[in-house]
Amino acid sequence: MADLNGGVVGVDNPPVEQPETITTFNSSGTLTTAPYTTTLQYVVVAGGGGGGGQMGGGGGAGGYRSSVPGEASGGGASAEATTPVSGASPYPITVGAGGAASPGTGGGAGTTALLPGGAGNASTLGTPSPISTVGGGAGLVQGLSAPVAIGGSGGGNGRFGTTGGAGTSNQGFAGGPNTPDDNTASGGGGAAAAGSAPPGTGISGAGGAGVASSITGSPVTRAGGGGGGGRRDGTQQIVTMGAGGAGGGGHGGVWPTTPGPLGLPAPVARSTAGTANTGGGGGGGAAQPTTSPGRTGGSGVVIVKEAAGPYKASGVWSLEAVYENVSAGTWT
């Protein structure tokens, strides 16, 4: 556009409509923001811990952090502030793997030492102020207390244990303690609730529940703790496995050591792994871990949302347009 002297001063660029963008990372990669993005909403979940071996505790859920308004972070915390970013810029994303299953077959029926599961791995949204979460704590085994049980949410205790692993502030809850019951174990902690201790004789503890988020449009619960494992003992007692916490927690396993009541086949429940890309803890192992061992934790996930809206692109007003608007009294 020509100015009043005939020269070209420039043009006014109209607003740019940038659509809402939601990106889910199920594995590590790079986020490249849209041109006019300045902040991100996020849900960042670490990998869940693996379940403990023979009659082992459930794995703790991966640490959970969220900045979605009106939702919650883990450990009972409110949503965090959105994180500032620059438009059209690359940011590294790390999605943590779930913790390993317990390799131990242990006890009188096994051939190696009782071993806990493996701790989960951290997930990170690598913005200028990185958002990182702690991997879930490992499920423990008979009478063992170990630092590996501490995590985003703590791992549950095994048979004869006393204290579950601690969770991380604003990310998750502790794993369940245990009782002297010979046949049960505790659940791993979840992002929204602690793991449960065995509520009674012959019942293993459940994993703690995870947190629901609608960042992708529909509510999805993630970061549930794994359930505790156990065994059936005697001809009358039937042990109930610990259920996995809502949000991808794996179930504990139960394996009988004697025939069922009245000569009926004894009940068997296989342990299960934490669900992939939820950060759920792995289920604790049964009395026969070669067939129902502690299981792996679920891998984590990173989800980001870039807001929609009209964005003013950079440009230069023409001097002629300024003059005309000022003269007409319409310049703003």
Side-chain angles (χ1 to χ4, degrees), residues 37-42 67 80-85 125 127-131:
T37 296
T38 57
T39 61
L40 297 175
Q41 291 182 25
Y42 55 82
S67 69
E80 303 176 356
T82 56
T83 186
V85 293
L125 169 58
T127 56
S129 297
I131 308 300

Side-chain angles (χ1 to χ4, degrees), residues 195-238:
S196 297
T201 300
I203 305 173
S204 286
V211 172
S213 174
S214 297
I215 189 172
T216 57
S218 299
V220 177
T221 302
R222 302 176 178 88
R231 69 171 180 173
R232 179 180 171 277
D233 188 34
T235 59
Q236 300 300 318
Q237 182 180 353
I238 297 177

Side-chain angles (χ1 to χ4, degrees), residues 49-68:
Q54 189 178 40
M55 286 172 279
Y64 185 105
R65 294 179 65 181
S66 170
S67 69
V68 181

Side-chain angles (χ1 to χ4, degrees), residues 14-318:
V16 175
E17 291 288 342
Q18 180 171 290
E20 179 180 270
T21 303
I22 300 170
T23 308
T24 299
F25 288 88
N26 291 323
S27 59
S28 299
T30 301
L31 169 72
T32 299
T33 54
Y36 303 104
T37 296
T38 57
T39 61
L40 297 175
Q41 291 182 25
Y42 55 82
V43 169
V44 181
V45 186
Q54 189 178 40
M55 286 172 279
Y64 185 105
R65 294 179 65 181
S66 170
S67 69
V68 181
E71 296 186 355
S73 281
S78 300
E80 303 176 356
T82 56
T83 186
V85 293
S86 298
S89 298
Y91 298 102
I93 304 293
T94 301
V95 175
S102 169
T105 54
T111 58
T112 60
L114 289 164
L115 295 171
N121 294 277
S123 290
T124 302
L125 169 58
T127 56
S129 297
I131 308 300
S132 189
T133 52
V134 179
L140 296 173
V141 290
Q142 179 173 321
L144 177 68
S145 177
V148 73
I150 299 171
S153 288
N157 220 319
R159 175 192 190 201
F160 293 139
T162 56
T163 304
T168 298
S169 178
N170 301 329
Q171 295 194 30
F173 285 90
N178 207 357
T179 66
D181 186 353
D182 185 27
N183 303 304
T184 60
S186 299
S196 297
T201 300
I203 305 173
S204 286
V211 172
S213 174
S214 297
I215 189 172
T216 57
S218 299
V220 177
T221 302
R222 302 176 178 88
R231 69 171 180 173
R232 179 180 171 277
D233 188 34
T235 59
Q236 300 300 318
Q237 182 180 353
I238 297 177
V239 171
T240 302
M241 68 180 184
H251 299 311
V254 175
W255 187 265
T257 56
T258 59
L262 306 177
L264 298 175
V268 174
R270 296 284 195 268
S271 52
T272 60
T275 303
N277 300 123
T278 68
Q288 176 48 280
T290 57
T291 50
S292 192
R295 299 291 184 178
T296 56
S299 55
V301 66
V302 175
I303 307 170
V304 294
K305 179 189 284 188
E306 300 174 64
Y311 293 85
K312 187 75 168 91
S314 60
V316 180
W317 285 99
S318 73

